[in-house]
Structure formats: C-alpha cells, structure tokens
C-alpha cells in the first residue's frame, strides 16, 4: 500500500468528504475517482474489522495472561524453529568484529548525549562504524544448536534467548558499499544484497510515511520479527516479548550511534503493509516491527 492509497482509505474511513480527502491525502481529483471506483471492498473490510480493533490493545494484554495459556509447542514436542534465516544473494563482507576500532566513549556520556536525531550530515558512515552499530544491536556472539534447541546469544537480551528479530539495512551512504536493501547475517557478520533498485529506497521512504530522516539517513536499520521463534516457547504471550526485545535493540542502536558521532531516530510510525512488501515478507511469518534511521551528526 502506498501513501496515496493509505491516505484515501484513512480519511474516507473517518468520514471525510471528497475535498478534504483530496487535500489531506494529497491526491488529485482523478486519483480520488479511481480510488472511489476500486477500493469499495477494502473500505468494507476496514469497516468490518474496526469494532474488533477498538479494544485490541487491552484484549492483547488480557488474553496473553498466563492463566489462559495452553501448553507451548516446545512443551508438546513440536520441532524447534531455526535461530536465523538463510537469505540467498550476493555476500558483502564487513570488517571482522575482532578488527573493528571500538570507539572510546563513557557510558555516562553516551546516555547523557543521546537524543533522537532526525537531520544528518552528508558524511557517509564508515564500514567500521556500521559494524560497531551492528555489533551492539544484532551480532550473535554465540550460536548453539542441537536437535531440541537452537539459539543465538547477542549483546542485547531476548526472552529465552529466542532472538526473534531479523535485521535488514537500507544502505544509502556507507563507504564502499553500494546503496541497496541488505540482510544482515548475525552469525557470519556479513550483508546479503537483496535489492539495489532505486525504487526500493523510495518504497521504504513511502512505507515510513515520508518521514524526512529516512530519506536523509546514511542507513535505515529495519528490524523484523519472526514471531514463531518466540511463540514456539512461550505461546501467544511470546508476542509481548517481540516488542520488548525490539526496545533493547533500539536502545543499543541509539547508544552505539552516539559512540561513533552519529545519531539515530527510532521509527514506530510506518505502514505495515508497505514495509512488509518492501522487504518481501509474508506478514504471518515475519513482519516489520521497528526501524531506526541513522546518520552522522552535522
Ligand atoms: C517506540 C518509538 C517509536 C518512535 N517513532 C517515531 C517516529 O515514527 N517518528 C519520529 O520522528 N520519532 C519517533 N520516535 C522518537 C521519539 O519521538 C523520541 O524518542 C521522543 O520524542 C523523545 O525524544 P528523545 O529521543 O530525543 O529523548 C519514536 C520513539 C520510540 C521509542
């Protein structure tokens, strides 16, 4: 879904009139007419789901109480999910973790200085700096695998060491790496090029509701969640942990960015459908959960 379609549906479903929709959604009269003709079914679906959505947050908290839980798939002996995705594509190596220059900054300073930064200098990130941010947020320092269990251990905590988050990078300005959408392999500490068409960057900007920092960033880190990795162990309660895990990653991105004289802005306002599409995800299995725009300070 692009921003125009979203805008039309959003304002139409809220009962705005034609002129208001054209203005607020920034669409032409022709586009309005086109949507009127073609989006009737989608609007009907939105109307039918809305009463359910009204209380979804409170229902989620209530229904994921332990008292309502059935035995988890793990307890029932269902085979374990893998700890990491395998993505095919051109491999781009990064400076080895043991070789990168670890920046010197006190924790006190990093925490004190941290702010959400939405405007960046044109300076690219170096590969060392990018590697450091990935080290802090996503890199797997250990991988343990047997028939019953497969886990990674990272510099962020995760409920049950399930680490359900995958890391994608929308690289725009990193020294020596061509712009494009990449997957980060947390064990091999390398990138896998998924798509370097210029439209991909636009799609991500649109998906992030045209927030300026996404277009200006040196890199946007897009975190997705693979819910079953956690649900296998914790049932539906596991969904709570996906969001808690993502928060830890976000904070480490912030602090690591600070350490390399960069800044970050976490992004929760994005169009789910558009971002899942941009990453080619089947949302029932994996969905975008959190995004961070990052760039050098001006
Ligand atoms: C979960 C979450 C989602 C956020 N989403 C956005 C966003 O979509 N756009 C944005 O500009 N800032 C976003 N922010 C940044 C907050 O606006 C920011 O943290 C807040 O204003 C406090 O400012 P500070 O981070 O500089 O202390 C988000 C922050 C969090 C933690």
């Amino acid at each position: 879904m692009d921003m125009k379609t979203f805008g039309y549906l959003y304002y139409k479903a809220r009962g705005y009139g034609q002129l208001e929709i054209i203005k607020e959604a920034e669409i032409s009269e022709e586009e309005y007419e086109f949507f009127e003709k073609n989006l009737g079914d989608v609007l009907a679906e939105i109307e039918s789901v809305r009463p359910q959505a009204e209380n979804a947050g409170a229902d989620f908290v209530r229904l994921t109480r332990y008292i309502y839980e059935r035995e988890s798939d793990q307890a029932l002996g269902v085979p374990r999910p893998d700890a990491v995705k395998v993505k095919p594509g051109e491999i781009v190596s990064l400076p080895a973790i043991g070789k990168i220059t670890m920046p010197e900054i006190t924790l006190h300073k990093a925490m004190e200085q941290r702010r959400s930064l939405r405007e960046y200098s044109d300076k690219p990130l170096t590969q060392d700096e990018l590697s450091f941010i990935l080290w802090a947020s996503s890199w797997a320092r250990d991988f343990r695998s047997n028939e019953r269990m497969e886990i990674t251990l990272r510099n962020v905590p995760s409920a049950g060491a399930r680490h359900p988050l995958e890391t994608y990078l929308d690289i725009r300005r990193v020294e020596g790496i061509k712009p494009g959408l990449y997957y980060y392999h947390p064990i091999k500490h390398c990138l896998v090029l998924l798509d370097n068409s210029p439209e991909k960057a636009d799609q991500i900007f649109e998906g992030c509701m045209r927030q300026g920092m996404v277009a200006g960033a040196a890199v946007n880190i897009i975190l997705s969640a693979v819910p079953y990795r956690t649900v296998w162990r914790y049932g539906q309660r596991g969904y709570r942990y996906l969001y808690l895990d993502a928060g830890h990653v976000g904070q480490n991105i912030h602090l690591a960015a600070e350490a390399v004289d960069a800044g970050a802005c976490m992004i929760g306002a994005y169009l789910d459908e558009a971002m899942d599409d941009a990453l080619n995800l089947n949302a029932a299995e994996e969905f975008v959960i959190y995004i961070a725009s990052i760039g050098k300070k001006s």
Side-chain angles (χ1 to χ4, degrees):
M1 185 186 299
D2 61 18
M3 274 294 279
K4 286 185 175 183
T5 313
F6 169 77
Y8 167 82
L9 290 169
Y10 184 84
Y11 293 108
K12 181 80 182 177
R14 272 154 194 78
Y16 283 50
Q18 175 173 355
L19 290 179
E20 289 170 305
I21 294 174
I22 288 174
K23 179 167 171 267
E24 296 297 336
E26 298 178 27
I27 56 177
S28 65
E29 222 166 282
E30 292 71 40
E31 286 166 330
Y32 177 84
E33 292 304 336
F34 176 82
F35 290 148
E36 282 281 298
K37 249 192 226 132
N38 292 288
L39 294 181
D41 288 354
V42 185
L43 271 169
E45 193 262 351
I46 293 170
E47 286 303 329
S48 78
V49 171
R50 273 172 109 190
Q52 230 179 305
E54 189 97 354
N55 217 33
D59 283 349
F60 168 70
V61 176
R62 185 172 57 83
L63 293 171
T64 51
R65 290 177 185 170
Y66 274 120
I67 202 74
Y68 298 125
E69 217 174 62
R70 69 152 171 84
E71 274 204 289
S72 70
D73 280 1
Q74 181 185 15
L76 293 171
V78 176
R80 60 152 181 79
D82 294 339
V84 171
K85 288 238 159 182
V86 178
K87 296 267 179 189
E90 180 192 325
I91 305 276
V92 176
S93 51
L94 290 167
I97 290 294
K99 299 240 168 85
I100 60 177
T101 319
M102 292 291 172
E104 299 272 330
I105 185 172
T106 63
L107 181 59
H108 165 229
K109 250 212 152 9
M111 288 167 74
E112 188 179 60
Q113 279 178 196
R114 184 217 62 84
R115 298 284 182 281
S116 293
L117 191 70
R118 296 178 180 84
E119 286 188 18
Y120 312 108
S121 91
D122 292 339
K123 239 173 115 183
L125 277 178
T126 66
Q127 289 191 26
D128 257 27
E129 289 166 342
L130 178 63
S131 284
F132 176 68
I133 294 168
L134 291 168
W135 170 86
S137 57
S138 304
W139 173 65
R141 68 177 134 82
D142 202 355
F143 171 61
R144 298 178 192 172
S145 179
N146 62 37
E147 230 173 71
R148 286 181 23 251
M149 181 72 89
E150 188 167 278
I151 59 166
T152 57
L153 294 166
R154 309 187 186 194
N155 288 336
V156 286
S158 167
R162 302 306 305 149
H163 285 292
L165 305 183
E166 297 288 350
T167 308
Y168 297 83
L169 291 95
D170 164 28
I171 289 189
R172 293 172 186 242
R173 235 173 16 260
V174 176
E175 272 176 9
I177 302 180
K178 61 185 171 200
L181 177 67
Y182 293 81
Y183 169 74
Y184 174 67
H185 196 298
I187 300 171
K188 296 182 179 157
H189 181 62
C190 68
L191 302 175
V192 180
L193 177 61
L194 302 178
D195 191 327
N196 63 348
S197 61
E199 303 83 62
K200 191 52 71 181
D202 288 344
Q203 208 183 341
I204 289 167
F205 174 60
E206 286 276 311
C208 291
M209 303 172 91
R210 298 182 190 154
Q211 297 193 65
M213 63 275 194
V214 171
V219 60
N220 295 296
I221 294 186
I222 305 166
L223 301 169
S224 72
V226 180
Y228 188 64
R229 222 177 270 158
T230 297
V231 164
W232 173 75
R233 183 172 172 88
Y234 294 112
Q236 293 301 299
R237 192 177 180 83
Y239 273 87
R240 293 182 180 214
Y241 304 151
L242 306 177
Y243 294 90
L244 298 174
D245 283 4
H248 293 294
V249 173
Q251 185 66 2
N252 267 20
I253 289 175
H254 257 301
L255 296 177
E258 207 56 52
V260 297
D261 200 32
C265 183
M266 301 313 299
I267 297 174
Y270 58 87
L271 301 179
D272 302 76
E273 305 89 329
M275 289 305 293
D276 292 342
D277 272 1
L279 269 55
N280 215 4
L281 305 179
N282 168 0
E285 287 169 12
E286 182 179 356
F287 60 90
V288 171
I289 192 166
Y290 211 11
I291 301 154
S293 62
I294 303 169
K296 298 289 281 184
K297 288 183 183 172
S298 297

